[in-house]
Amino acid sequence: MTSLLAAALLVSTQSASLPPAFLDSPSRVTVALESAGALPSVSGVTVTLDGNPLVINSVAPGTPAARPRDPNRVVLPGSIQRALGGNEWDPNGAVTEMTKTADGQYRFEATFPAGAWEYKVAKGGSWDQNWGRDFISGGPNIPLVVARDGTNVRFLVNFNEGWVRDSINHPDFVDTPTTVAARQPEQSSDLLDSVVITLNESLTAKAMTGDLRVSIGDETRRIYLRDVLNDGQFLYPREDLGVTIRPQSMTFKVWSPPSKSATLLYGNPPRRIPMTRGTAGVWYVTVNEVPKWQPYRFEFNSYGERRIASDIYGKASTKDSMTSVVVDVSRTNPEVWPPKPLPFSGKATDAVIYEFHVRDLTASPSSGVPEHLRGKYLGLALSGTTLPGTDIPTGLDYLKSLGITHAHLLPVHDFNPDHSNDYNWGYETTQFNVPEEQYAVGTHPTDPIIEFKTVVASLARNGIGTVMDVVYNHSVPSQGERSAFWQSVPYFYFRTNDRGEVLNESGVGNALADERPMVRKFIRDSLVYWTKEYQVAGFRFDLLGMHTPESVADWARAVRAVNPDALIYGEPWTGGGPLRFPKGSQVGLNVGVFNDHFRGTVRGNLDEPGPGLMNGSFDENGLKRALSGSIDYAEGVKDFAAQPGESVNYVSAHDNLTLMDRIGLEADSYDQRMAAARLAFSTVLLSQGVPFIEGGSEMGRTKGGNHNSYNGGDLINQYNWEAAPRFADMTNFVRGLIDIRRAHPAFRMSDAEQIRQNLRFPVAEPGLLVVRIDGASVGDSWREILILINSGEVREFGLPEGSWSIAVMNDLARNGSIGSANGRWELPGHSATVLYR
């Protein structure tokens, strides 16, 4: 997840004026104090409805006052704060405040309980300045795995040299403290940042649309509906929000409980059609005319203001994303529809996922795609293209030849119109049910729908499912007249603090509050819509760690009720905010998460040199965990997964340096780089779990060392098909590994107990790990299989008695024999070798 540079954690919604107050239940009002202060008395507080005072029962403490921010304070926010008895992910928390030891240098020491914790570095008491793994500004969380209770840990930060290190992750650099001074308890304060007012009677839904205000002393402010909208009376279970099309009419429905009135603005020029308030705060109107594409918006009268919004459930949009367009999606199907059924079992471990950006695959003239289709949906859907002057397949035919099962497309949801004319990865969604128009050849609002469906159908015709990379964790923009969410129900769709400041848990401005039932429903309805209407084969969730486990479980159930074989996985981390869905939360949900432990074992550091298997390092237990699917395999060999399908195994993705750029930091010669890449690919494709490949990495893709190319343009991001002949051996090697994996169930066991029973590690010595798989027991034609991982030089190895066929060795990989071996045998250096019989 890197679409923009990280912003401040809190984005102010009001500057000079007082912050809003919030109705968080039918009888409870939350009020942020203008400045930290004492609890006011009941007599000092007034709540009015349309100017008439309401009876107050009590005034109680809300949020305790935060300690003042110090621009020089350095804190380690994260779940480590919870481990030490504080509030987690607090950039101003005293429990992990560091001590300055010299200019630009800081130290912190503490005694930790056992557990898998995470942290970052923050300066100044807020998220304005924060650093994650590899000291990247706004970067990923830093893991801290503590094996035993009572472990002392030392943390060092050096701003002069730009690094953060700790005694667990960097034992060769940071000494483990023998003793740790007792921490002083955090001083509590009697001052408050907010208070909670309880009314004598619960307000009705009709009363809540009135002018609600609260006064404390001389300060008076408006009350907005926030968590009160989670009350059952506002929950709308039906799936007909948006526009329902009939042969002679259209019904428009929109949810906006705070509004006193709502008006449909339909057509061009717009006709004003009053809407009727129904149950749960839903406004509706039926237009009795034959449906045809027409622009429409909603006008709301809420909180004393006139607000105009597009339809958050809209299925088509104008280019500026400000106006929805009526579309009969039943008339948007391409000639070949529905898509051909996929040859996929629904077991995640049977998948081979290949990630790429729609534009990147065909943007270059070397793709052989006609100029007007390059970088477009229809360019991706086109078959028969080759590298000009050769018979080397490109684009769609190349994907088919590689043997992948799923094409993971970077976001194609309609995104920030400010970037619609520029290259962008698209991690800033504006309209969640609309395909991004810049990848369409046609300019009519229905063309993106038709052309994206053509992609889904074309991929399916070639045996490949379409996985959408979805960004439901935040929206762009989050506030103001350009945000349909904000205009429909101000302050509701986004997480805010008690001052109404939008929380930037994503690192890019805001966080959708999926814990609220109607927000969760919106996301559920959107996922179901894409699954039903576009027949996509699955979803990859950006920053899945921001969502609640209840939401993820709800969405997975809803999607699989439509498509039982859907592939669902995501990133178990955040953009700097609280981690609600960490690794381990996926257990029992049939949901996968990206395995950064696997990545670290094989790749090492993300964007700088550092120990990993592919560059000669050897972590025996890390490799055992990786190869066994990160399950609870045995004492000392266990990780976060209950089943192998929960672990998405990868070494590179669109974020950070490409695989080849990362390898180039430590490998000088071509042969060294190819050996490192082969070892990386072998580990990904031969391990239990779900393999994930960074698109183009198998053909030497480079971005010139750019580790965050989200807006880098075609020159940096496009596939260079002219490099394909030079990397043909590598591509064929990966193609062979995929063929082996898909042909042999021994490499893709779907049950943890199967793995424990049939996978063994008979040999583990410095630099060498041997995996032995009982293929016969899982129905494999290869009755016995050996995987030999050698991170060192050429060495002799004594094979088990008998003759063995070689399937993978050096730069060859084939679903069949490329030679035989027996007895004492020379094992290639820095390689993965597969033998069978």
Side-chain angles (χ1 to χ4, degrees), residues 136-475:
I136 296 171
S137 177
N141 302 334
I142 304 167
L144 187 81
V145 180
V146 179
R148 295 183 304 278
D149 284 337
T151 299
N152 294 335
V153 183
R154 175 176 289 140
F155 302 79
L156 300 178
V157 170
N158 190 316
F159 288 99
N160 305 320
E161 299 178 6
W163 52 256
V164 52
R165 293 167 183 162
D166 61 69
S167 54
I168 288 183
N169 291 314
H170 307 90
D172 295 336
F173 190 90
V174 183
D175 293 333
T176 300
T178 55
T179 60
V180 170
R183 291 180 293 109
Q184 296 299 315
E186 189 165 351
Q187 296 297 313
S188 61
S189 171
D190 293 331
L191 299 180
L192 300 170
D193 279 339
S194 66
V195 297
V196 175
I197 301 166
T198 302
L199 304 176
N200 187 54
E201 294 183 6
S202 295
L203 296 172
T204 65
K206 182 178 180 180
M208 292 179 203
T209 65
D211 184 6
L212 279 166
R213 295 183 185 265
V214 60
S215 300
I216 298 180
D218 296 330
E219 301 171 357
T220 300
R221 64 194 77 180
R222 185 181 293 279
I223 300 173
Y224 289 78
L225 310 190
R226 190 173 61 177
D227 283 342
V228 69
L229 297 178
N230 299 335
D231 193 81
Q233 64 183 313
F234 297 113
L235 305 187
Y236 185 75
R238 297 176 61 178
E239 296 182 4
D240 60 354
L241 292 173
V243 186
T244 300
I245 301 290
R246 300 180 186 87
Q248 299 295 324
S249 66
M250 302 160 283
T251 297
F252 297 79
K253 288 189 177 182
V254 60
W255 186 76
S256 184
S259 294
K260 293 178 73 69
S261 65
T263 302
L264 172 67
L265 308 179
Y266 177 74
N268 187 19
R271 291 154 43 196
R272 298 179 57 84
I273 306 174
M275 303 182 78
T276 300
R277 186 184 180 101
T279 61
V282 170
W283 297 84
Y284 66 93
V285 68
T286 295
V287 177
N288 292 306
E289 60 182 56
V290 175
K292 58 181 178 179
W293 82 269
Q294 285 290 336
Y296 72 97
R297 295 195 289 174
F298 300 116
E299 178 184 289
F300 303 104
N301 176 10
S302 64
Y303 305 118
E305 294 184 26
R306 174 177 175 267
R307 307 171 192 273
I308 296 178
S310 61
D311 183 1
I312 65 172
Y313 277 82
K315 298 169 183 175
S317 175
T318 54
K319 185 175 181 180
D320 65 2
S321 304
M322 293 285 287
T323 303
S324 298
V325 174
V326 172
V327 57
D328 182 352
V329 290
S330 68
R331 298 176 179 272
T332 61
N333 296 334
E335 291 183 8
V336 180
W337 196 262
K340 181 179 178 182
L342 296 174
F344 181 64
S345 68
K347 294 179 180 178
T349 51
D350 288 344
V352 178
I353 303 168
Y354 186 86
E355 176 207 50
F356 61 97
H357 187 286
V358 168
R359 183 169 180 83
D360 293 354
L361 194 72
T362 64
S364 170
S366 66
S367 69
V369 171
E371 184 174 1
H372 72 289
L373 300 182
R374 291 175 197 158
K376 304 293 186 179
Y377 294 127
L378 296 182
L380 170 57
L382 184 66
S383 62
T385 62
T386 62
L387 173 67
T390 77
D391 59 359
I392 298 173
T394 63
L396 177 63
D397 289 357
Y398 173 78
L399 299 180
K400 180 181 180 180
S401 74
L402 204 55
I404 61 171
T405 67
H406 289 79
H408 165 149
L409 305 182
L410 267 63
V412 295
H413 282 161
D414 171 81
F415 62 80
N416 188 352
D418 289 346
H419 297 152
S420 284
N421 293 322
D422 307 314
Y423 181 96
N424 198 280
W425 282 344
Y427 288 96
E428 42 183 10
T429 308
T430 303
Q431 299 271 6
F432 284 92
N433 292 332
V434 179
E436 171 61 22
E437 83 286 340
Q438 70 169 288
Y439 307 130
V441 174
T443 58
H444 191 277
T446 58
D447 287 329
I449 302 173
I450 298 168
E451 295 182 29
F452 183 62
K453 283 183 175 180
T454 303
V455 168
V456 175
S458 297
L459 287 168
R461 192 163 56 248
N462 288 277
I464 300 170
T466 300
V467 172
M468 293 182 67
D469 195 330
V470 291
V471 195
Y472 291 106
N473 59 74
H474 76 284
S475 177

Side-chain angles (χ1 to χ4, degrees), residues 559-741:
V559 168
R560 292 210 172 90
V562 180
N563 177 10
D565 295 338
L567 202 60
I568 301 174
Y569 56 101
E571 297 177 303
W573 42 76
T574 75
L579 187 59
R580 295 175 175 83
F581 197 91
K583 290 186 294 291
S585 304
Q586 81 292 333
V587 171
L589 302 183
N590 195 14
V591 168
V593 294
F594 283 93
N595 190 340
D596 53 345
H597 299 166
F598 183 108
R599 181 193 67 200
T601 296
V602 180
R603 177 186 177 112
N605 290 337
L606 284 170
D607 297 326
E608 62 182 25
L613 175 69
M614 69 183 193
N615 48 58
S617 179
F618 185 80
D619 175 358
E620 178 185 325
N621 279 345
L623 271 176
K624 288 180 177 178
R625 286 190 289 269
L627 289 157
S628 61
S630 295
I631 62 170
D632 185 351
Y633 174 81
E635 183 66 31
V637 183
K638 60 181 179 179
D639 209 337
F640 62 89
Q643 298 295 342
E646 297 167 5
S647 173
V648 177
N649 302 332
Y650 75 117
V651 292
S652 62
H654 67 277
D655 281 332
N656 304 107
L657 292 177
T658 69
L659 177 62
M660 205 55 65
D661 285 344
R662 170 63 184 87
I663 288 172
L665 296 180
E666 291 167 299
D668 296 327
S669 70
Y670 175 84
D671 288 345
Q672 287 176 329
R673 293 195 296 273
M674 293 305 100
R678 288 194 298 268
L679 189 49
F681 282 121
S682 297
T683 314
V684 168
L685 287 161
L686 299 175
S687 290
Q688 305 299 322
V690 185
F692 173 100
I693 300 170
E694 168 215 343
S697 58
E698 77 290 347
M699 48 186 281
R701 189 183 192 193
T702 177
K703 295 182 185 178
N706 187 323
H707 68 85
N708 186 17
S709 64
Y710 75 93
N711 64 349
D714 290 335
L715 287 179
I716 290 175
N717 289 287
Q718 68 189 359
Y719 276 49
N720 177 16
W721 293 100
E722 292 178 351
R726 189 163 71 253
F727 290 95
D729 288 347
M730 177 62 68
T731 304
N732 288 331
F733 181 79
V734 173
R735 184 179 288 118
L737 288 174
I738 293 173
D739 193 17
I740 289 169
R741 182 180 183 91

Side-chain angles (χ1 to χ4, degrees), residues 497-559:
N497 63 12
D498 288 343
R499 297 183 64 81
E501 296 168 325
V502 175
L503 299 177
N504 181 17
E505 297 174 355
S506 62
V508 286
N510 60 83
L512 281 175
D514 63 82
E515 64 276 10
R516 294 175 179 152
M518 285 300 289
V519 182
R520 181 179 297 162
K521 171 184 166 54
F522 168 76
I523 297 173
R524 175 174 68 248
D525 290 347
S526 179
L527 292 165
V528 168
Y529 171 67
W530 287 99
T531 307
K532 284 183 177 178
E533 183 61 38
Y534 289 85
Q535 301 205 19
V536 298
F539 301 95
R540 176 268 194 192
F541 284 82
D542 179 70
L543 298 186
L544 185 66
M546 289 176 60
H547 298 303
T548 66
E550 295 80 9
S551 291
V552 178
D554 177 83
W555 301 333
R557 282 193 302 269
V559 168

